[in-house]
């Protein structure tokens, strides 16, 4: 049997009508169900939903209008078309029929063709409606799918723009965005703290150059993975480019918690990386910048972390360094100072000041120390503590040393010629450790002595213990050569450096200068003599002269005299002074 064309419910209280209608419809291939009143009709539709309802109006109990209204109120059944049946003599209200949701109506007695035509019409309409609905849903789904694809493509593009291709990590742009977010969060919650770490591989170039870029790339991927695993979920690890990485720790407790993270990251590099069956050891240096209110821009944090990273490298790689705010200023200052210093050396803006050294036996000036001064056009007198280390680093200390030597020798020789200085008066010039590496040092000294005409016995050179410890062999040869010329040799700042007494007797030095930090402690009581008696004892045993530095009070002088110290210098006698003043001082021939 063919599948019925549709399922039709016929509702009529007259059995003959029911019979007639169902006969015709069944002949046409419809499946027909019958109901003799409204109540039964509602039950029938609720059991199986029909495709169409033929509904009589005049029925005992619920009439057709009421049944239709009930159907249309039911969400599931509202789409079922209803064709009303009405007798011509019924008081049929067409308007009411349509208002309660009827789709059409047929008047009795039935015209069979009409019944079939109207039924088919309604079923076609219903089918068309259904099709439109389906098409609509399909269209909607298509649009949704295309939108999703577009969104996905957009997200991929965005992802590519914000991530590093090699490692898949966030790139600089994304990193900066995250730091910016952290800065914003800090503004609303000022107690919130975060940190930016700048990481740079040490000697990565060596790997790249010797093993090739492919190995280099794989190493970077492995490094990225190792770092990522160690970090927390909210921490942002980014590759800035090359062998540089950056980390944002968006929520930290304090400085120590950050350095702990940095330390644990450094630990990751104690194990080698396995790349192509090869073990590669590599280190990183880490610079750390901690947030504070002055940071307005992410670039500034990264810049300072970068500066700190360079510090870490300067201190010997494979370590971390925390940026402190004065560092930026310091770096700038130093840069300015460096340029100024070069100019000052060329223009000879450096001059010696002189500080007398008193012989405690005679109480008279026995010697003087030449101390360099820089007359800076803007900063005024700059103390050697600032620029001597800088000059050493710049490799310019040799020039300063030569200048001081020749100035001091010429000055003393002139005073001798003018009878302002006794022939026994000597001048001490400080020698930097770095000058020990200067190959022509002895030659230069010879030349200066020759040019000035000063007796070598009137010149003494002061050097710190570190010079001897750092260059033991060249120092020994050098000192012997100087000794042969009868130039005096002093160990400066004794007791502050390596204090290795063992070398003292092996080197031809004749004077020990007791550092002012010891003299400083002398307060007139016997309590704080510290190492002074021991140092004086050694000097006596080794037949050397002991000179105390930094004597500022009469009590200190008295105590040093009691301890048999030979001589001394300090503000108590005189501060370092320019040559003209020193000449007057010499002329006044003071006694203590
Ligand atoms: P130094 O050779 O130990 O010089 C003694 C320092 O102590 C001088 O500081 C001097 O001014 C200071 N001083 C002297 N008496 C007193 C005192 O009673 N109390 C205190 N508090 N200080 C006193 P200055 O001139 O600032 O020199 C510092 C250091 O710079 C020198 O220490 C020396 O190591 C180095 N220096 C100075 N001139 C030269 C130079 O021409 N060449 C080299 N290579 N280094 C130099
Ligand atoms: Mg000195
Ligand atoms: Mg000293």
């Amino acid at each position: 049997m063919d599948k019925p064309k549709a399922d039709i419910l016929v509702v009529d209280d007259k059995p003959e009508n029911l019979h007639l209608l169902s006969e015709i419809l069944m002949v046409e291939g419809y499946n027909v169900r019958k109901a003799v009143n409204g109540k039964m009709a509602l039950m029938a539709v609720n059991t199986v939903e029909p495709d169409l309802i033929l509904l009589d109006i005049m029925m005992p109990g619920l009439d057709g209008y009421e049944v239709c209204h009930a159907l249309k109120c039911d969400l599931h059944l509202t789409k079922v078309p209803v064709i009303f049946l009405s007798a011509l003599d019924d008081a049929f209200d067409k308007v009411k029929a349509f208002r309660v949701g009827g789709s059409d109506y047929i008047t009795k007695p039935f015209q069979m063709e009409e019944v079939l035509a109207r039924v088919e019409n309604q079923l076609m309409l219903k089918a068309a409606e259904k099709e439109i609905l389906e098409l609509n849903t399909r269209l909607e789904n298509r649009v949704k799918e295309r939108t999703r694809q577009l969104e996905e493509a957009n997200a991929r593009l965005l992802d590519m723009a914000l991530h590093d291709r090699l490692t898949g990590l966030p790139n600089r742009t994304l990193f900066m965005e995250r730091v910016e977010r952290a800065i914003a969060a800090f503004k609303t919650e000022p107690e919130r703290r975060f940190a930016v770490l700048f990481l740079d591989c040490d000697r990565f170039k060596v790997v790249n150059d010797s093993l090739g870029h492919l190995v280099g790339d794989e190493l970077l991927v492995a490094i990225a993975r190792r770092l990522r695993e160690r970090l927390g979920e909210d921490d942002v690890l980014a590759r800035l480019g090359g062998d540089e990485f950056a980390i944002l720790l968006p929520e930290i407790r304090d400085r120590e918690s950050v350095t702990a993270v940095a330390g644990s990251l450094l630990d990751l590099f104690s194990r080698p990386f396995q790349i192509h069956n090869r073990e590669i050891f590599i280190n990183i240096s880490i610079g750390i910048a901690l947030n504070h209110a002055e940071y307005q821009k992410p670039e500034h944090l990264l810049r300072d972390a970068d500066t700190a990273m360079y510090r870490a490298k300067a201190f010997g790689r494979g370590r971390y360094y925390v940026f402190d705010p004065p560092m930026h200023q310091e770096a700038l200052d130093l840069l300015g100072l460096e340029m100024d210093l070069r100019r000052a050396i060329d223009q000879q803006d450096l001059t010696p000041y002189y500080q007398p050294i008193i012989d405690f036996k005679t109480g008279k000036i026995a010697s003087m120390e030449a101390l360099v001064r820089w007359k800076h056009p803007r900063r005024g007198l700059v103390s050697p503590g600032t620029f001597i280390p800088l000059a050493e680093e710049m490799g310019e200390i040799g020039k300063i040393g030569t200048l001081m030597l020749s100035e001091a020798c010429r000055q003393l020789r002139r005073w001798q010629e003018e009878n302002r200085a006794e022939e026994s008066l000597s001048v001490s010039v400080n020698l930097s450790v770095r000058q020990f590496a200067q190959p022509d040092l002895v030659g230069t000294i010879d030349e200066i002595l020759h040019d000035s005409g000063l007796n070598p016995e009137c010149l003494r050179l002061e050097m710190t213990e570190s010079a001897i410890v750092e260059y033991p062999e060249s120092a020994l040869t050098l000192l012997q050569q100087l000794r042969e010329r009868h130039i005096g040799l002093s160990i400066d700042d004794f007791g502050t450096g390596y204090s290795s007494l063992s070398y003292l007797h092996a080197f031809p030095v004749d004077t020990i200068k007791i550092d002012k930090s010891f003299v400083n402690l002398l307060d007139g009581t016997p309590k704080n003599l510290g190492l002074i008696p021991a140092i004086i004892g050694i000097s006596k045993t080794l037949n050397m002269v002991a000179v105390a530095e930094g004597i500022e009070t009469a009590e200190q002088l008295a105590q040093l005299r009691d301890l048999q110290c030979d001589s001394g210098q300090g503000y108590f006698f005189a501060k370092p002074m320019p040559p003209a003043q020193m000449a007057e001082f010499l002329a006044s021939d003071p006694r203590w």
Side-chain angles (χ1 to χ4, degrees):
M1 218 174 87
D2 285 347
K3 194 173 170 271
K5 283 205 274 187
D7 186 38
I8 298 178
L9 176 67
V10 185
V11 188
D12 204 314
D13 58 331
K14 307 243 168 31
E16 59 274 24
N17 282 348
L18 278 181
H19 183 72
L20 182 63
L21 282 169
S22 61
E23 279 294 297
I24 303 162
L25 290 168
M26 272 173 4
V27 170
E28 285 302 313
Y30 294 105
N31 184 38
V32 181
R33 287 184 290 147
K34 293 170 267 187
V36 287
N37 56 41
K39 215 168 156 195
M40 266 178 68
L42 287 178
M43 262 163 63
V45 293
N46 276 315
T47 341
V48 179
E49 180 190 325
D51 294 311
L52 185 131
I53 301 172
L54 289 172
L55 180 59
D56 187 24
I57 294 174
M58 289 305 165
M59 293 184 290
L62 293 172
D63 68 10
Y65 300 126
E66 286 167 316
V67 174
C68 186
H69 180 71
L71 287 173
K72 297 297 163 182
C73 286
D74 187 328
L75 254 181
H76 302 286
L77 303 169
T78 183
K79 286 261 162 9
V80 180
V82 173
I83 301 177
F84 283 111
L85 306 170
S86 85
L88 261 180
D89 49 352
D90 282 349
F92 177 50
D93 187 342
K94 291 175 198 166
V95 176
K96 187 171 180 187
F98 286 112
R99 197 180 297 135
V100 295
S103 304
D104 205 354
Y105 66 90
I106 302 168
T107 45
K108 298 177 201 173
F110 311 120
Q111 287 278 318
M112 279 314 139
E113 289 75 15
E114 189 194 349
V115 171
L116 289 175
R118 290 194 188 272
V119 164
E120 255 164 52
N121 242 345
Q122 285 305 320
L123 287 173
M124 260 161 57
L125 258 174
K126 193 188 171 199
E129 242 173 47
K130 196 173 155 207
E131 204 176 326
I132 288 173
L133 200 74
E134 272 170 15
L135 272 174
N136 254 339
T137 333
R138 268 218 300 276
L139 200 68
E140 245 170 54
N141 285 343
R142 280 265 289 282
V143 170
K144 267 192 208 147
E145 172 63 14
R146 296 288 293 166
T147 313
R148 196 188 56 77
Q149 284 174 351
L150 266 174
E151 276 169 1
E152 233 179 58
N154 267 340
R156 261 208 310 278
L157 275 177
L158 194 67
D159 195 72
M160 270 162 69
L162 294 178
H163 287 83
D164 166 50
R165 274 234 314 277
L166 179 66
T167 59
L169 293 177
N171 63 12
R172 183 184 288 264
T173 314
L174 182 53
F175 185 75
M176 290 310 210
E177 203 182 292
R178 290 295 154 82
V179 177
E180 195 152 6
R181 232 186 265 177
I183 293 175
F186 171 67
K187 278 189 188 141
T188 51
E189 294 171 70
E191 68 287 350
R192 204 187 168 106
R193 310 213 58 197
F194 66 91
V196 169
L197 279 62
F198 196 110
L199 288 73
D200 188 281
C201 299
D202 297 331
R203 295 192 312 274
F204 186 80
K205 200 176 155 351
V206 179
V207 175
N208 247 353
D209 290 351
S210 56
L211 303 177
H213 285 270
L214 280 179
V215 174
D217 280 358
E218 284 190 36
L219 181 59
L220 286 172
V221 173
I223 291 173
R225 197 174 306 137
R226 224 180 251 190
L227 289 171
R228 188 61 263 181
E229 277 166 15
R230 179 56 58 96
L231 292 167
E233 215 176 285
D234 294 337
D235 304 338
V236 184
L237 169 68
R239 180 173 173 228
L240 300 181
D243 59 347
E244 292 173 350
F245 295 88
I247 295 170
L248 166 68
L249 302 177
E251 250 191 289
I252 57 166
R253 214 175 43 248
D254 50 21
R255 181 192 171 103
E256 281 64 42
S257 62
V258 181
T259 54
V261 172
S264 86
L265 293 177
L266 290 175
D267 284 346
L268 293 176
F269 293 81
S270 55
R271 279 182 292 122
F273 288 89
Q274 291 284 348
I275 311 280
H276 293 314
N277 290 330
R278 201 189 279 276
E279 287 201 333
I280 302 176
F281 277 97
I282 190 132
N283 259 326
I284 50 166
S285 298
I286 305 179
I288 302 171
L290 302 164
N291 76 309
H292 57 76
E294 256 128 73
Y295 282 124
Q296 299 290 341
K297 290 192 170 165
E299 301 89 67
H300 294 167
L301 271 143
L302 202 64
R303 173 200 67 200
D304 289 349
D306 189 20
T307 305
M309 189 275 294
Y310 272 100
R311 273 291 162 100
K313 282 211 196 272
F315 277 115
R317 299 162 189 270
R319 57 179 73 210
Y320 62 80
Y321 198 92
V322 184
F323 181 87
D324 52 300
M327 233 161 92
H328 179 57
Q329 195 48 46
E330 235 174 62
L332 287 182
D333 282 357
L334 213 61
L335 201 70
L337 209 59
E338 222 177 276
M339 292 193 299
D340 288 355
L341 184 56
R342 256 182 241 284
R343 198 174 316 128
I345 292 169
D346 290 342
Q347 295 177 354
Q348 314 229 320
D349 283 343
L350 304 175
T351 54
Y353 269 38
Y354 296 96
Q355 187 179 35
I357 297 172
I358 314 303
D359 182 330
F360 290 167
K361 276 199 203 81
T362 62
K364 287 168 60 169
I365 301 173
S367 175
M368 57 190 180
E369 179 171 5
L371 294 157
V372 67
R373 292 292 180 266
W374 174 10
K375 288 180 177 154
H376 191 282
R378 277 172 291 112
R379 295 168 197 253
L381 221 52
V382 182
S383 99
T386 325
F387 68 87
I388 291 286
L390 182 62
E392 287 175 339
E393 218 172 279
M394 287 163 60
E396 300 283 340
I397 191 66
K399 288 186 192 160
I400 296 179
T402 307
L403 171 90
M404 288 294 288
L405 267 169
S406 73
E407 284 289 316
C409 291
R410 270 203 321 206
Q411 184 65 75
L412 181 55
R413 181 65 200 137
R414 193 171 324 133
W415 281 335
Q416 287 172 347
E417 284 169 351
E418 292 169 2
N419 283 324
R420 289 171 190 268
E422 290 175 22
E423 294 292 326
S424 64
L425 192 85
S426 64
V427 67
S428 289
V429 177
N430 292 285
L431 214 58
S432 153
V433 184
R434 297 296 163 99
Q435 288 176 269
F436 276 64
Q438 201 175 309
D440 55 341
L441 185 61
V442 177
T444 307
I445 293 172
D446 281 343
E447 212 175 291
I448 288 171
L449 284 170
H450 177 264
D451 289 354
S452 63
L454 186 74
N455 179 354
E457 286 182 36
C458 292
L459 175 64
R460 52 182 40 262
L461 298 173
E462 297 190 2
M463 66 219 86
T464 55
E465 296 158 88
S466 55
I468 293 172
V469 176
E470 278 178 42
Y471 302 93
E473 273 136 48
S474 59
L476 186 58
T477 334
L478 179 73
L479 297 188
Q480 276 162 349
Q481 287 172 315
L482 296 173
R483 192 71 242 165
E484 283 162 17
R485 289 158 175 76
H486 302 288
I487 294 172
L489 299 171
S490 308
I491 300 285
D492 206 352
D493 307 340
F494 189 82
T496 58
Y498 299 84
S499 298
S500 164
L501 296 175
S502 58
Y503 65 75
L504 266 185
H505 70 274
F507 286 86
V509 284
D510 54 64
T511 299
I512 295 179
K513 296 190 77 170
I514 304 168
D515 191 67
K516 55 177 170 288
S517 57
F518 296 106
V519 177
N520 222 357
L521 298 175
L522 297 180
D523 56 2
T525 70
K527 280 200 310 250
N528 297 318
L529 300 180
L531 282 180
I532 296 179
I535 297 175
I536 293 173
I538 293 164
S539 68
K540 295 261 178 287
T541 318
L542 296 176
N543 226 354
M544 293 183 189
V545 172
V547 180
E549 295 184 294
I551 303 169
E552 293 184 356
T553 66
E555 289 82 32
Q556 290 171 345
L557 172 60
Q559 276 190 297
L560 287 161
R561 270 199 161 121
D562 283 349
L563 291 167
Q564 310 290 309
C565 186
D566 301 297
S567 46
Q569 68 191 88
Y571 296 168
F572 177 67
F573 306 109
K575 285 194 171 178
M577 53 195 133
Q581 210 178 317
M582 183 67 198
E584 279 173 30
F585 197 72
L586 283 171
S588 71
D589 192 22
R591 307 274 169 108
W592 284 273

